[in-house]
Amino acid sequence: MAENKTGLERYIRQTIFKGVGQEGQRKLLAAHALIVGCGALGTAIANLLGRAGVGHITIIDRDFIELNNLQRQTLYDEEDLRQNLPKAVAAANKLRLINSEITVEGLVEDLSYENIERLVGAADIVLDGTDNFETRYLLNDTCVKLGKPWIYSGVIAAYGITSTILPGDTPCFRCLFPDPPPPGTTPTCDTAGIVGPIVGMMGAFAAGEAIKLLTGQGTLNRGLTSIDLWQLNFDRLPVEARQPDCPCCGLREFEFLEAAGERGSRVASLCGRNAIQVTIRPTPNLDLPEFAGRLAAAGAEEMLENEFLLRYRLDGYEWTLFPDARAIIKGTDDPNVAKTLYARYIGV
Ligand SMILES: [Zn+2]
């Protein structure tokens, strides 16, 4: 009954587990985790860390919820979909319902050169819930530069892979994968699909690593671990040493972070979506109601607006425009088409 006076009653099943204990729980409550991307993996991770009592959770995600997300993105429901909520907003709302004693921030943004050092710098640990290599190399550069641990996770089809990266200690992401794969050479959710259970497994794996790391207990995944749920293969690749000539953690040349600082518009294709995201740097602030009027005059239809986004159809494409001038243009996989459309109608 001593627990009743500690304020930790909610976590009693976790604190009587010797690996965590009350001391570990207090460390979790004092910790700040940054979850980058809140799709399938991100929701699985956020759910577990929020319930476990990680005291401050920041979720950054650039996307909104679609019907086909509900199969595996466990923090969302049909009501979120009806409200056209961005994922970061819906995930933060849900976590606050689950645990009102922690601080949760939901940021509807692209992780970029402009915000990444501030966000990573404020966190004790970074968890990868992204679906693309570009963001992972950017994260790796930043985490190595700032000396922050991060947990890489990737999931496709029924397969998952993960590594816990401790800068200056374990191999970094570029030690493991020196260069990004050429575009179009890796399977995507589009071509290979994804089953919910592997997401749950890899999300749980990453959340477990975070809890061990933040409490300073247990054995960390210092190499690459992969799970093939369908064939029932579990592999732990031997821990390799850091590569002395690794551009990132060896030579401390942060090429991806520097390249991300270039001005102008940038495009990214969104995994499994037949959609392209266009962003612009430096980031302007759009007056969405004013843009709604301007776009309606240009022929935009089926306009839908809330405080987070503006959705409409124009030229046969489905557009979603955010206050930071970011647009997701659905109906094309061609970055040049998206850039042209963006320049024509947003043109900032
Ligand atoms: Zn390295």
Side-chain angles (χ1 to χ4, degrees), residues 172 174-175 246 249:
C172 82
R174 283 198 85 179
C175 292
C246 168
C249 73

Side-chain angles (χ1 to χ4, degrees), residues 78-133:
E78 293 180 4
E79 184 54 32
D80 298 322
L81 186 64
R82 267 191 290 276
Q83 292 186 25
N84 279 291
L85 291 182
K87 291 182 179 179
V89 171
N93 289 346
K94 202 64 56 76
L95 281 190
R96 290 185 195 110
L97 288 174
I98 290 166
N99 190 347
S100 61
E101 296 172 9
I102 60 172
T103 302
V104 184
E105 289 170 289
L107 306 175
V108 187
E109 290 174 42
D110 201 19
L111 192 72
S112 73
Y113 179 82
E114 289 177 309
N115 57 20
I116 192 168
E117 291 199 47
R118 173 172 51 82
L119 290 170
V120 169
D124 299 304
I125 186 170
V126 180
L127 293 114
D128 169 18
T130 68
D131 58 5
N132 68 85
F133 282 96

Side-chain angles (χ1 to χ4, degrees), residues 66-83:
E66 293 191 299
L67 178 63
N68 71 28
N69 298 155
L70 302 185
Q71 166 246 355
R72 64 196 179 283
Q73 304 191 9
T74 48
L75 285 181
Y76 309 132
D77 56 40
E78 293 180 4
E79 184 54 32
D80 298 322
L81 186 64
R82 267 191 290 276
Q83 292 186 25

Side-chain angles (χ1 to χ4, degrees), residues 36 40-42 45 127-133 136 150-165 173 177 187 189 193-195 197-203 205-206 221 224-229 271:
V36 179
L41 271 173
I45 293 167
L127 293 114
D128 169 18
T130 68
D131 58 5
N132 68 85
F133 282 96
R136 290 189 182 115
W150 75 283
I151 298 169
Y152 155 59
S153 307
V155 188
I156 192 77
Y159 176 84
I161 188 163
T162 180
S163 183
T164 296
I165 294 167
F173 191 70
F177 307 103
C189 310
I194 187 161
V195 293
I198 190 64
V199 174
M201 291 168 84
M202 301 314 291
F205 196 114
N221 173 36
L224 268 174
T225 297
S226 66
I227 299 175
D228 184 330
L229 169 67
C271 179

Side-chain angles (χ1 to χ4, degrees), residues 256-298:
F256 293 88
L257 189 56
E258 277 153 28
E262 288 163 12
R263 299 167 72 92
S265 67
R266 299 168 67 83
V267 290
S269 111
L270 302 184
C271 179
R273 296 279 303 279
N274 187 32
I276 302 280
Q277 171 184 264
V278 185
T279 50
I280 194 141
R281 314 255 160 77
T283 307
N285 249 328
L286 289 193
D287 181 345
L288 282 187
E290 189 215 309
F291 254 82
R294 203 196 289 189
L295 290 162

